[in-house]
Structure formats: structure tokens, C-alpha cells
Amino acid sequence: MSLKHDRLGRSSDASGIFHAYRCFLFFSQDYWTWSSLFGGAGTSLYLPERTQIIALRMPASKCRIPWLDHWKHRVVQSFDEESNKLDIIEYSGMMRPSPRTLHRTTRLLLVLLVSGILIHSGLYLTADRWRQSPQANRVLSKSYIDAQAKAQVDIDWSNYAYTQYVTDPTYLCNSLMIFESLHRLGSEAGRLMMYPEQWSAESNTSEAGLLRKARHEYNVKLQPVQVKRFENDGSTWAESFTKLFAFNQIQYQRVISLDSDATVLQVRRYPLLAAR
Amino acid sequence: MPRAYWIDDVFSTQIVVIEPSALEFERIQHAFEHRTMIEFDMEIMNKLYGQDCLILPHRRYDLVTGEFRSKEHDRYLGSSSEIWDAREVLEEVSYLHFSDWPYPKPWSEYSDVTHAKRQPPCQENFQSDEDCSTRDVWNEIYLDFMQRRQVSDTLRYSKKKKLTSEEGGLWFKVHA
């Protein structure tokens, strides 16, 4: 542009063009990759006409591409007095100029297509993030909390239960203590004790006495099960397989299985059992 | 299931919220029948549901008594910046499991023998005073259990040595 009549500033302009052209080289490299994908230029690089070079001129400071610096550029400059045009031809040692294989319009369309796809996918991803984030930070409205509180009042507690398993008299005693705690702390959910089918709640044994106590005083339902035992191993761990019988208590929607070598200190009504 | 916060990458089965289902029970039975020698209920639960169960926050829902003996509480508290307060922790938690190795289970006949020397040590705070609040809380937990256990023992079933409450009280006052 301003280059036409400014002969003194030629060298600085030329370096501007040089850098601008390096930008263009970088751009062309992309274009070249794409065009070869579409069956185009192969390994060759098309060098644009000099008018384009001049039109692309921009301040050198805005166009530093460090990773291209190591390329060996060859710059040929000549000034045509008659037409007042500056000739600059530059190409790297890695790529050689070759005849163009695609028309300018096709190239333009391809460039537009590619940038269109990039912009679209970029916008889509950003919009997706925007769509999600307000939900994550949503503050529960008062009406929602009220509705939940009302639902909590309406809970049918017969669908829920605490389950215990016992395999020997020691753990039966512990288990009774857990049910006593649940009873004392005012738990509204059902209570279920799974015990070995060999025991009978109606006999005169001490186990039977504790089973009856659980049933009468703490509203515990008694569920006889076949206690699984390991051969050669009588540890509590082995017998704690019995706790998995809780999965078979399909008369309940949800149960909380508690080990009985523990203490229940609080009953939290809402969060565990009836949460949806 | 809550994380077994005192170990890495395992879920605890001390407290489990379960939706009973015939299909799942079948899966468990199958896993039980094809178990290896080192697989117990916890291993089976972790194998079947360790990848996709909902995680119950262990804090407030699942505490082990060994925590009062531990020197580090980051894992339970979930951060290293919060200051451990045994009393506060006991008040917020709803389920406390007796696992306190090497201290035996509280109903064990060995538990009273080893009690005094196995209780948690007092901590020295920055003013070099002795802070025994953690030890006191630990003693309260065990005393509470022993007393309740004694009540249920005296009612119907007992083959073990009984403690009167006076004995229990004195016995728990022995520090160090």
C-alpha cells in the first residue's frame, strides 16, 4: 500500500512484509494441510501472488511466530522501476513453490468452511458450559424445601428399616443394645433382626429370652436366616456374611444395615432412609 | 457406603444403606459361592459395588473409636486445617464403631485388664499443659457401653463377669 512511493522506507517495509509473510507461511501451512486432505497440493506449497503479499503487510511486532524462526528462509527482493512494485519472494528450504492446484474461490470457501466449523464448535462448547453452571450453583428455593419437608411428614415408615444380624449370643446382646438406642432416640423406621434359624424365640434359652425382649420392647421384627459359615474359620468376619441377607429383605424399599459392635448416638431421620 | 477413611480406596460395610432386591441378592450369593479365601463381606461388597455405589460421607455417619487413639485426624475431618476437638466430633456423629486395635472389644473379658495402659495418651498443647479431653471422651464412650451392656446382661443373659457401677466408675478413673 504505502510501499508504492516510499522508497526510503523500503528496508523497514520489506522487513514488515517479511514478517507478515512468515505469518502467511504459517497460515498457508494449515491451508496446505487441509487442501492435501481434500486431494489437493500434496507436499507442495503454493506461494501467493505478490499483490497479496503487500496486502497482507502488518506490523512486525504483532506477528512473531517463534517456532518458525529456525526455518531457513530465503528472501528474494527486487524493485521494478516501471511498475513501481516491490518483488519479494520468500520460501523456506523445507517447501518449494509449485503451481497452484486449487482456485482462489475454492480456497476461500475451504478456509471459510474450516473456520466456520471451528467457531461453531467453540461456541457450542462454551454454551454448554454456560448451560450447566447455573444448575450446579442453584440455591434451593423455599417452596422446594417446604415440599420436601411435607414429603418427609408423609413418609410411610413401614417401607424402611434398620437391620441387624446376629450369629452368636454375644452379638445378640450387642444388637439388642443397638435396637434399644434406636428406640430410645425415637427412630420411626422399622427394625429387623436376622438371626440363625436354629434358634427359636419360643424356647427357654437365654437367646430366646433376648429375642422376645427385642420383639416386645423394641418392636423388632425377627427374621430367621441360614447363617453362612466358613470352614476352618469361626471369626466374626466370616459370619458377617449374614449381614448381606439384608439384600433379600425385599419387603422394604430401603434398609440401613448396621454392625452391632457399635453405638448409635443419634438418629437422623431425613437424610439416609427416605431421601430420594 | 461410607469410605473406610482410615484405609485407602475401600468402602466400609459397618453402615450400609441398601435397596433390597432379589436380583442383587442373587449376585451376592453367586459372589459368595465363588469367593476366594481372603474375601469376606467387605471385599464382596467392594467388588460388586465399589465402582458405582453412592458414597455416604463418613464424617457424621461413621466414626471408629480408634480415631481417638490416632495422632492424625486429617482423614476423618477431611482437612488438615481443622482442629481436632474430640467432644465436638462425638456430638456430631451418629454412629460409632468399636474398632480400636490393639484394644479389645468393650465386652471382652480382656478389655478391663488392658484398659488403663491402652487408653489414648494425653496430648501436650502449645502452653505445655496436658490436654486429656480426647482420653476423657474415649473413656466416656467405653463406660457408657459397659454400663448399658451390664444392664442388658443382668436382665436375662450373662455368663461373663459383671461389673457393678461403682467398680466401673473407679476402674475408669484409673489414668495411665
Side-chain angles (χ1 to χ4, degrees):
Chain A
M1 289 181 260
S2 64
L3 199 82
K4 250 181 182 176
H5 306 289
D6 187 8
R7 298 183 67 172
L8 284 173
R10 191 173 67 171
S11 64
S12 67
D13 278 337
S15 85
I17 291 169
F18 175 75
H19 283 293
Y21 192 64
R22 292 210 308 202
C23 278
F24 192 79
L25 262 181
F26 175 66
F27 178 70
S28 312
Q29 194 194 14
D30 269 354
Y31 157 65
W32 163 76
T33 319
W34 281 101
S35 63
S36 65
L37 274 179
F38 293 115
T43 52
S44 62
L45 171 73
Y46 164 68
L47 273 182
E49 290 166 328
R50 64 188 82 131
T51 45
Q52 278 182 309
I53 303 174
I54 293 164
L56 269 166
R57 191 162 56 98
M58 58 169 73
S61 59
K62 289 189 179 172
C63 189
R64 299 262 319 151
I65 305 172
W67 59 88
L68 288 179
D69 276 352
H70 66 280
W71 283 14
K72 286 181 182 173
H73 290 284
R74 196 143 62 87
V75 182
V76 180
Q77 294 184 17
S78 66
F79 194 74
D80 187 352
E81 292 288 344
E82 279 180 21
S83 61
N84 252 358
K85 275 185 182 172
L86 175 71
D87 270 357
I88 297 175
I89 298 166
E90 175 197 357
Y91 51 89
S92 79
M94 293 164 70
M95 299 183 209
R96 289 172 190 285
S98 78
R100 75 167 85 170
T101 49
L102 287 172
H103 285 290
R104 191 183 298 170
T105 359
T106 329
R107 271 186 284 132
L108 191 64
L109 278 175
L110 274 171
V111 168
L112 284 175
L113 182 72
V114 170
S115 34
I117 290 170
L118 286 175
I119 290 167
H120 182 263
S121 54
L123 279 177
Y124 181 79
L125 289 173
T126 327
D128 203 38
R129 202 163 52 231
W130 284 344
R131 263 204 308 276
Q132 284 173 2
S133 55
Q135 279 189 342
N137 296 329
R138 188 183 58 175
V139 177
L140 295 177
S141 71
K142 181 130 192 355
S143 59
Y144 177 80
I145 294 170
D146 287 347
Q148 290 293 313
K150 191 176 177 304
Q152 191 184 344
V153 173
D154 297 338
I155 287 169
D156 180 2
W157 286 105
S158 65
N159 289 327
Y160 307 101
Y162 287 93
T163 63
Q164 293 276 296
Y165 68 97
V166 296
T167 49
D168 63 44
T170 308
Y171 275 77
L172 175 59
C173 186
N174 292 339
S175 183
L176 197 70
M177 288 168 70
I178 296 272
F179 283 130
E180 186 275 324
S181 301
L182 290 169
H183 181 77
R184 175 164 40 86
L185 297 167
S187 157
E188 292 168 87
R191 291 156 208 158
L192 183 86
M193 185 192 279
M194 299 177 289
Y195 67 99
E197 58 188 357
Q198 301 90 309
W199 296 359
S200 162
E202 314 309 324
S203 66
N204 287 327
T205 58
S206 51
E207 291 90 355
L210 287 180
L211 286 176
R212 283 199 299 272
K213 183 177 166 63
R215 192 169 58 193
H216 292 141
E217 291 184 29
Y218 309 129
N219 297 321
V220 177
K221 285 187 179 150
L222 301 176
Q223 177 71 50
V225 294
Q226 190 189 356
V227 174
K228 302 267 184 191
R229 281 178 197 278
F230 280 91
E231 306 83 13
N232 320 323
D233 189 353
S235 76
T236 46
W237 275 11
E239 292 178 348
S240 65
F241 265 118
T242 314
K243 100 164 80 166
L244 301 181
F245 273 90
F247 277 90
N248 203 25
Q249 308 308 316
I250 50 176
Q251 66 273 32
Y252 298 108
Q253 274 178 20
R254 198 174 285 179
V255 301
I256 298 182
S257 161
L258 298 174
D259 280 4
S260 55
D261 45 352
T263 298
V264 174
L265 297 163
Q266 283 179 49
V267 168
R268 295 175 189 271
R269 277 178 190 75
Y270 178 62
L272 280 190
L273 265 186
R276 299 257 156 228
Chain B
M1 286 192 277
R3 289 189 195 284
Y5 64 89
W6 55 98
I7 330 171
D8 285 329
D9 301 326
V10 179
F11 288 101
S12 159
T13 49
Q14 293 163 3
I15 173 169
V16 191
V17 183
I18 294 169
E19 290 191 353
S21 131
L23 183 74
E24 295 304 325
F25 187 61
E26 250 176 58
R27 287 182 69 200
I28 285 166
Q29 276 188 317
H30 184 266
F32 176 75
E33 280 150 21
H34 296 84
R35 71 189 178 274
T36 59
M37 283 305 285
I38 49 160
E39 280 184 326
F40 299 99
D41 64 306
M42 190 163 145
E43 284 73 19
I44 286 185
M45 286 290 279
N46 274 279
K47 200 162 126 187
L48 289 179
Y49 306 110
Q51 292 301 310
D52 49 16
C53 68
L54 290 177
I55 301 174
L56 208 61
H58 63 259
R59 188 160 174 183
R60 297 196 294 140
Y61 286 111
D62 187 17
L63 175 65
V64 292
T65 48
E67 188 65 29
F68 294 97
R69 177 185 307 289
S70 166
K71 285 190 182 123
E72 306 276 327
H73 303 286
D74 306 1
R75 284 182 175 227
Y76 176 75
L77 295 174
S79 82
S80 52
S81 50
E82 196 175 334
I83 293 164
W84 168 260
D85 181 336
R87 180 81 47 197
E88 211 171 89
V89 163
L90 185 69
E91 274 166 17
E92 74 174 14
V93 79
S94 42
Y95 180 78
L96 174 62
H97 191 265
F98 288 103
S99 54
D100 216 343
W101 192 88
Y103 188 72
K105 300 276 186 188
W107 58 88
S108 156
E109 51 198 301
Y110 301 107
S111 118
D112 50 343
V113 180
T114 49
H115 187 90
K117 63 177 177 188
R118 294 284 191 204
Q119 59 186 343
C122 291
Q123 306 292 324
E124 241 181 51
N125 64 15
F126 56 91
Q127 290 162 329
S128 39
D129 294 330
E130 268 210 329
D131 175 11
C132 294
S133 58
T134 302
R135 167 185 287 195
D136 294 343
V137 167
W138 186 87
N139 277 316
E140 277 170 35
I141 294 163
Y142 277 84
L143 182 59
D144 167 69
F145 185 89
M146 302 294 286
Q147 285 178 341
R148 283 188 297 121
R149 172 96 183 181
Q150 192 191 334
V151 170
S152 49
D153 270 0
T154 46
L155 274 171
R156 199 62 62 103
Y157 166 79
S158 173
K159 286 171 190 165
K160 299 218 169 86
K161 178 193 156 199
K162 286 178 201 163
L163 279 170
T164 64
S165 59
E166 292 81 43
E167 273 172 359
L170 283 174
W171 175 75
F172 268 85
K173 274 175 197 155
V174 179
H175 287 307

